[in-house]
Amino acid sequence: MSTPVETRKSRPTIGLALGSGSARGLAHIGVIHAIEESGIPVDAVAGSSIGALVGAAYASGRLNTLEQDFLNIDWKRIGTLLDPVFPRSGLIDGRRIAGFVRSHVSVGTVERLPIPFCAVATDLTSGREVLIRDGDVIDAVRASISMPGIFSPVRHREGILVDGGLANPVPVSAARALGADIVIAVDLNYNIVAGKSRHRPAGSGVKSRHGKGTAGKRRIRPPSTPAVDRIRSWLEKERLPGMIEVLLGSLHIMQEQITTGRLLIERPEVLIRPPLGSVRLLEFDRAEEIIRIGYRSALGPLRELAEALRQPNGPMRRT
């Protein structure tokens, strides 16, 4: 089993907490680039959901390969990574995703990663947070990204594991468990609900495949009554979300609330919040834009930390 990082006497131990956020998680790549440019060393990495994928690739020294893969991705490639199954415990099996993870992690077990690493998952039966600090890297990441209802859960020892974002969307405590004195945390859930509302495309009602409104000339309209008129008016103004949108919207609300509460208690020394409220679940084809936003969002907070680390009495862990 992996052990926490030993605290270095010359400087504080620095941990990176990479949060959940589906395609928004590509911002982690930009943040890591900013960290490397600033000269700040990273001694441990904890990741939740997409943060576990990026964190594992970074800890194995393969982040650049992962970045290039995402920069070249399109919707056709995204489709090849999804393996739909008869919906029992999830819509997607996840084996192809596991293969994708395997191609971007250079070692087989968590213990062998060059940088100490921890993936965060949630035990579906108990609701407790699970820190995976040993065993197969692919299984660890696969468990951490298992969004309920979308991906099938993963059996791990005695538990059934799903997405780490359900219990700990920004794993500051997991980075502390790895021995970090200073935690750089990336919160991808800040203001995402309001952000999606502001960027929601203006709808023009329910449309036919020809692009015309449902109230076309050939459509037989029901009798006009006050109740029917109200319903028709509502349908023409507001498009009802589909099942996936309802599920993901609910998860977004929950994760934003959990993140807010946990960060009040588990405060990182550096908190980075890229403005990514308009990015949807699978918009990995916006990789270049998302990575750039992550990079720019990190520059200011990291500059302050880098300057503090250069001081004789550098930054200390918050109490």
Side-chain angles (χ1 to χ4, degrees), residues 39-56:
I40 298 172
V42 173
D43 304 304
V45 181
S48 184
S49 195
I50 185 68
L53 169 59
V54 176

Side-chain angles (χ1 to χ4, degrees), residues 161-173:
L161 304 185
V162 293
D163 199 296
L166 295 181
N168 196 349
V170 185
V172 175
S173 59

